[in-house]
Amino acid sequence: MFNRPRLLDQVRDEIGKRHYSYRTEKQYVGWIRRFIRFHGLRHPAELGGAEVEGYLSHLAMQRNVAAATQAQALAAILFLYKHVLGIQLPWLDNVTRARRPKRLPVVLSRAEVRRVLNELHGDYWQIASLLYGSGLRLLEALRLRIKDLNLDRRCLLVRDGKGAKDRVTLIPEVLVNPLRTRLKFLRAAHETATAAGYGGVELPHALERKYPRAHLEWGWQYVFPASKPTRDPRSGVWRRHHVHEQSVQRVVREAVRKAQLSQPASCHTFRHCFATHLLDSGADIRTVQELMGHASVKTTQIYTHVLNRGGIAARSPLD
């Protein structure tokens, strides 16, 4: 039997060198561990393309996983072989691919969005309002730092978004005063936390080694910090983390239930509504593409299919 902790530690080291997120590290390590167990705890160096194909086909046929889940498992295994073991796998032609369905996103009407937002309060109302009013993904909103807000210009900077890209998007006018009030409260809370010894936050990449005191600076603090400090899973240091995403998801689910909507909705639904309602109000699709951070306008075009354009705009002969 191989020394499993040592191999997984090598995986973690290689992930850390590439500045992947802790979430990605957990997912990759989990998939690699499941891949090894599927093949009877044999060392991956003893396996090859056929075994990888067999595992991925098992996920699609026996486990019936979604296409995105299968793709994530493949990415983790390829990372293991390429960056940890230094082995180039042959092209995986014989993998049974999970089918990726082509579905339109769920989009609420403006009235339905208001009904959901009316069921939210405090931090959760502000977070959901940013998802809808600025087109942010949930983690983009939770990872906002003080220095990323420009309330005078009514814009914010999304740093290291999906695809490791930065972008600028707008801040809704109705959120400007609530955010100003929030910053005043956070300033006092930050001073209290710093005096208590846990006022620092996690910094991206190697900034903490380069600027040892930067984690205590006001501009680096989270706009939506958690109420209590937590221990950093990598460094073990007590830090002020942002609000946990599952807390927001749980509260939004409850708000959707109370709003008695006819279709399911989640935090990401607000982002879909942002794009669709902008296009519906006459915004240029290239502008929406830039605000959403899409690499291709083809991704943005999906929201034109949600609107009453194209075939749905035709008048039924029954009418």
Side-chain angles (χ1 to χ4, degrees), residues 24-309:
T24 301
E25 176 185 310
K26 287 174 50 179
Q27 293 291 344
Y28 275 26
V29 169
W31 280 118
I32 292 170
R33 183 181 284 117
R34 287 188 285 270
F35 170 67
I36 294 170
R37 288 175 177 170
F38 178 78
H39 288 292
L41 301 182
R42 293 169 61 192
H43 195 284
E46 302 173 2
L47 308 175
E51 287 78 11
V52 174
E53 291 174 349
Y55 178 63
L56 295 175
S57 297
H58 163 77
L59 291 178
M61 300 176 67
Q62 276 72 49
R63 298 294 302 277
N64 197 29
V65 301
T69 303
Q70 187 191 45
Q72 186 183 72
L74 174 59
I77 295 170
L78 291 181
F79 183 91
L80 167 68
Y81 278 96
K82 181 178 180 179
H83 298 295
V84 179
L85 301 178
I87 300 174
Q88 291 290 343
L89 289 178
W91 187 250
L92 305 176
D93 290 325
N94 299 320
V95 174
T96 300
R97 301 281 181 176
R99 297 185 62 182
R100 187 182 296 271
K102 296 182 179 180
R103 296 193 177 96
L104 293 177
V106 173
V107 175
L108 308 178
S109 67
R110 288 175 172 83
E112 289 174 325
V113 171
R114 283 195 296 271
R115 282 162 52 190
V116 176
L117 292 179
N118 287 339
E119 298 294 340
L120 298 170
H121 308 282
D123 292 0
Y124 297 111
W125 176 83
Q126 290 189 14
I127 293 171
S129 296
L130 276 176
L131 302 183
Y132 174 58
S134 303
L136 302 183
R137 299 176 179 90
L138 177 56
L139 277 179
E140 291 174 345
L142 298 183
R143 290 172 178 167
L144 276 178
R145 313 270 185 161
I146 303 296
K147 63 186 181 63
D148 298 331
L149 297 180
N150 191 327
L151 298 181
D152 294 331
R153 295 181 55 196
R154 308 300 195 257
C155 66
L156 61 85
L157 176 61
V158 177
R159 296 183 184 272
D160 202 19
K162 189 174 182 179
K165 295 180 295 184
D166 294 354
R167 75 178 190 277
V168 176
T169 186
L170 51 87
I171 295 179
E173 189 70 35
V174 297
L175 280 181
V176 172
N177 286 334
L179 287 175
R180 289 191 193 279
T181 304
R182 162 171 286 275
L183 295 184
K184 292 179 182 178
F185 170 78
L186 290 180
R187 171 75 79 169
H190 171 59
E191 293 174 355
T192 301
T194 302
Y198 58 87
V201 294
E202 177 190 4
L203 296 182
H205 310 319
L207 281 177
E208 189 159 1
R209 291 197 301 270
K210 189 173 182 181
Y211 306 106
R213 299 286 297 175
H215 69 286
L216 294 172
E217 293 180 2
W218 167 241
W220 280 105
Q221 306 307 305
Y222 288 116
V223 177
F224 299 103
S227 58
K228 298 179 180 179
T230 55
R231 191 182 296 275
D232 186 276
R234 284 174 169 166
S235 66
V237 179
W238 286 96
R239 290 282 187 261
R240 296 196 73 198
H241 201 55
H242 57 68
V243 173
H244 200 285
E245 59 182 312
Q246 291 183 0
S247 299
V248 184
Q249 291 167 341
R250 182 174 60 252
V251 172
V252 169
R253 278 198 304 269
E254 181 64 16
V256 169
R257 186 190 66 81
K258 290 181 178 179
Q260 299 182 342
L261 302 186
S262 60
Q263 52 188 335
S266 66
C267 292
H268 204 68
T269 303
F270 289 118
R271 177 172 159 86
H272 294 320
C273 296
F274 169 81
T276 306
H277 295 170
L278 273 182
L279 290 171
D280 191 36
S281 62
D284 179 73
I285 192 170
R286 294 287 183 180
T287 301
V288 178
Q289 175 194 358
E290 183 176 343
L291 294 174
M292 295 285 284
H294 291 157
S296 171
V297 73
K298 291 182 179 179
T299 307
T300 316
Q301 283 176 338
I302 190 173
Y303 298 107
T304 64
H305 299 295
V306 181
L307 301 171
N308 287 335
R309 298 177 183 175

